Amino acid sequence: MPTSTGTDPQIAARQRWMGILARAEDGALEAAWADLADKPEYRLLRPPETGLVMVRGRAGGTGSAFNMGEMSATRCAVQLEGGEVGIAYVAGRSARHAELAAAFDALLQQPGRREELDEAVVTPLESAQQARREESRANADRSRVEFFAMVRERD
Amino acid sequence: MYVAVKGGEKAIEASHSLLDSARRGDPSVPELSTRQISEQLSLAVDRVMAEGSLYDRELAALAIKQAQGDLIEAVFLLRAYRTTLPRLGNSEPIDTGRMAIQRRISATFKDIPGGQILGPTYDYTHRLLDFRLAGEGGSGGEGSAPEEGRGPPPDEAVPRIVDLLGREGLIEEEAASETAEAPPADITREPLRFPADRDARLQALARGDEGFLLALGYSSQRGFSNNHPFAGEIRYGAVAVEIMPEELGFAVEIGEIEVTEVQMVNQFKGSSAAPPQFTRGYGLVFGHQERKAMSMALVDRALRCRELDEAAVAPAQDEEFVLYHSDNVEASGFVQHLKLPHYVDFQSELELLRKLRAEFEAPSAEAAE
């Protein structure tokens, strides 16, 4: 979840699903879209566009910001017939990923479909992402080390 | 003065085709896929992304393949590609305190909250060639099944070691400005100016050549400047990247990147304004690149001499020297441009030299008469 989460629960909910959709692995959104019972019509407000995001860090981890380097990213905006606007910003250069993430973002804003989509798409993606993180953490944890300091006698 | 030459199109075409066959090597050997490069030469990919200043594993792998494994050429390809893309925005500063840790060690404290995790490292290998990797199978990578983890749950922040020293006030504080921050310097948009501020220096170091920074960092340890550093903490893992698009007005995660962060702890005797305390050098690099991140932290600390009232006596402390020569694309371009035809230049030098030589020899010819 983004660190700069606001207090608005609507925004917090949207931040959650946008982040999960952005992190989705190759093909996961395509499969979810294929499984969708009634696919909505949408028009591209902004067709997928690949560009760069300048990644910032902080001196010492907590100090003043600096630009550390760029990463590729793709954005897209779509509009449903009902007027909902879906937006996506996703790492990498996949136009399809950005378009589908924007389409799902729009659909998730329809109060009638949110619960069903959350259950069918967002939560399973989130669980898969958490499982990957957990596996990677457990793997790293196997190399956890206890160092012992040896006192050397001085002649 | 450089005077251009024309012609040679056919020869250049032939050269490109020779390059294609040299790149391909023996056609009876299967061709490498970029996926193989990104998976199995991942540290080369990390280096190209960092010095190419563009985080994109697939593009870096492609650049490595195209450059036949010449990593500086690959960095050049990535930099050139980067100029074709628009800037969509800037990220919020990444929070390395919330990194999904793959490796985390400290050389200053044995017992640290969150523990020491060796992760994948060559540090404890014997540096003996492993002929199993040259043979069929037995390439490793299977690993044993993960045991029950003992660490913190994945989303829990792992405290920075330097912050522990900070609680006692024994190390200088690195605090973000309380008021709205001015955007940091961007040396890809504005040329470097001297004296350079730390934001511009860190950006240049993050994309700087690993070999150059390694040598400078090494020189600062050996006595060219006065660094007595400890590796306070080295951590490597994935961090989330967030941006705040204008049309949304709130931050969203766009994905994750892997970074290596190094906190060097250095001595400082104090000044009239500051008590004796440890000072810091900082390294932050794309991918898993400890040598580079440590070198960056050493050079960052050396370059802070002005602000810490230290005499700048060594190459690593000379910011014009360091920052004007750390970029391997610029350096490689200027060194290698010498290969271009300089026929007219050289002719004029040759004529001048002949004239001087004639003048030099003329008096002795007179004397001989």
Side-chain angles (χ1 to χ4, degrees):
Chain A
M1 286 294 288
T3 47
S4 33
T5 301
T7 47
D8 184 336
Q10 297 265 21
I11 290 178
R14 194 165 171 212
Q15 283 177 311
R16 168 177 166 266
W17 77 57
M18 287 182 83
I20 292 166
L21 293 169
R23 284 165 178 261
E25 287 204 313
D26 275 358
L29 293 188
E30 196 71 70
W33 188 257
D35 287 346
L36 214 56
D38 46 349
K39 295 181 188 49
E41 295 286 316
Y42 60 80
R43 68 187 183 95
L44 292 172
L45 281 182
R46 180 158 61 196
E49 179 190 19
T50 294
L52 301 167
V53 166
M54 176 56 91
V55 180
R56 288 181 175 161
R58 289 193 179 281
T62 48
S64 316
F66 69 97
N67 289 311
M68 80 174 283
E70 287 162 313
M71 68 188 285
S72 57
T74 304
R75 68 179 170 191
C76 182
V78 304
Q79 187 167 34
L80 301 180
E81 279 172 338
E84 293 86 356
V85 172
I87 289 172
Y89 279 82
V90 303
R93 287 169 297 117
S94 169
R96 190 66 183 154
H97 185 171
E99 183 175 331
L100 289 175
F104 277 117
D105 176 49
L107 277 178
L108 281 154
Q109 290 173 64
Q110 291 187 326
R113 298 200 71 170
R114 180 171 307 166
E115 205 168 316
E116 160 223 334
L117 277 175
D118 191 295
E119 208 170 287
V121 180
V122 181
T123 302
L125 284 175
E126 184 178 39
S127 310
Q129 289 164 17
Q130 265 170 3
R132 272 204 307 278
R133 266 201 292 275
E134 177 56 29
E135 189 190 346
S136 147
R137 186 196 65 80
N139 273 328
D141 206 53
R142 285 159 54 211
S143 62
R144 180 177 293 267
V145 67
E146 306 289 340
F147 285 116
F148 300 97
M150 308 289 281
V151 179
R152 281 184 297 191
E153 276 182 39
R154 299 185 63 176
D155 299 319
Chain B
M1 181 184 65
Y2 180 75
V3 180
V5 290
K6 288 175 79 172
E9 289 87 349
K10 277 212 164 133
I12 290 170
E13 260 173 46
S15 163
H16 287 169
S17 120
L18 287 173
L19 185 57
D20 289 340
S21 5
R23 177 188 302 119
R24 180 61 184 87
D26 181 348
S28 70
V29 176
E31 186 176 341
L32 267 178
S33 71
T34 54
R35 183 102 178 119
Q36 285 173 315
I37 293 171
S38 111
E39 291 298 314
Q40 296 174 35
L41 296 177
S42 57
L43 299 180
V45 168
D46 287 347
R47 180 167 180 190
V48 169
M49 292 195 303
E51 292 168 30
S53 206
L54 174 55
Y55 195 100
D56 187 312
R57 301 201 74 83
E58 291 164 17
L59 289 178
L62 172 60
I64 290 168
K65 178 173 177 175
Q66 188 176 331
Q68 279 178 269
D70 177 341
L71 298 189
I72 294 183
E73 183 70 21
V75 166
F76 193 172
L77 291 171
L78 215 52
R79 291 269 189 97
Y81 180 79
R82 157 193 181 275
T83 63
T84 66
L85 295 177
R87 174 86 56 89
L88 302 182
N90 300 297
S91 84
E92 300 296 296
I94 55 174
D95 184 357
T96 51
R98 297 182 61 84
M99 180 185 287
I101 300 274
Q102 286 295 308
R103 170 165 162 80
R104 184 228 194 187
I105 54 162
S106 170
T108 50
F109 294 106
K110 190 161 62 70
D111 301 307
I112 51 179
Q116 304 219 26
I117 293 169
L118 296 183
T121 177
Y122 287 95
D123 289 355
Y124 303 96
T125 62
H126 293 104
R127 268 73 182 213
L128 298 173
L129 278 177
D130 181 354
F131 289 97
R132 287 176 307 171
L133 293 173
E136 296 284 312
S139 56
E142 298 89 14
S144 49
E147 291 160 26
E148 195 59 32
R150 288 167 292 169
D155 281 341
E156 197 169 291
V158 179
R160 295 185 186 83
I161 310 240
V162 283
D163 296 344
L164 305 179
L165 284 169
R167 277 182 220 153
E168 287 183 71
L170 294 178
I171 193 163
E172 59 177 337
E173 199 180 355
E174 292 271 24
S177 159
E178 302 255 317
T179 54
E181 284 181 279
D186 186 352
I187 61 170
T188 68
R189 296 276 169 98
E190 297 283 330
L192 270 169
R193 282 182 215 289
F194 296 101
D197 285 331
R198 195 168 177 209
D199 51 356
R201 298 197 306 251
L202 287 171
Q203 185 182 10
L205 297 177
R207 70 203 319 248
D209 182 75
E210 176 176 324
F212 181 71
L213 297 184
L214 174 65
L216 283 173
Y218 179 43
S219 74
S220 77
Q221 283 180 280
R222 289 194 63 257
F224 288 84
S225 97
N226 200 22
N227 259 345
H228 294 282
F230 293 93
E233 182 174 356
I234 296 170
R235 56 168 68 188
Y236 150 65
V239 292
V241 178
E242 297 170 22
I243 60 170
M244 181 131 34
E246 270 176 30
E247 65 269 36
L248 286 175
F250 56 84
V252 289
E253 274 183 28
I254 63 169
E256 280 184 337
I257 59 171
E258 290 192 338
V259 298
T260 305
E261 180 187 53
V262 169
Q263 306 267 6
M264 285 285 184
V265 176
N266 296 258
Q267 291 178 346
F268 182 54
K269 60 185 189 308
S271 68
S272 52
Q277 61 184 349
F278 289 119
T279 54
R280 300 168 171 222
Y282 187 63
L284 183 67
V285 184
F286 285 153
H288 189 192
Q289 298 199 88
E290 289 171 28
R291 191 189 304 113
K292 163 74 183 277
M294 293 177 81
S295 304
M296 174 175 172
L298 290 174
V299 177
D300 170 47
R301 175 60 184 81
L303 289 175
R304 295 182 60 213
C305 55
R306 196 162 23 93
E307 124 199 35
L308 294 171
D309 262 337
E310 296 165 340
V313 292
Q317 294 170 306
D318 181 336
E319 64 178 19
E320 285 198 42
F321 178 77
V322 174
L323 302 180
Y324 271 148
H325 303 109
S326 60
D327 191 291
N328 57 24
V329 175
E330 284 172 17
S332 171
F334 200 53
V335 167
Q336 297 208 70
H337 103 281
L338 294 175
K339 292 186 287 193
L340 294 171
H342 282 68
Y343 306 136
V344 176
D345 271 7
F346 189 69
Q347 273 306 318
S348 72
E349 295 247 335
L350 197 59
E351 270 169 38
L352 179 65
L353 184 63
R354 284 199 177 113
K355 200 172 136 217
L356 291 171
R357 198 50 189 267
E359 284 168 11
F360 177 81
E361 278 157 15
S364 56
E366 276 167 27
E369 279 171 17

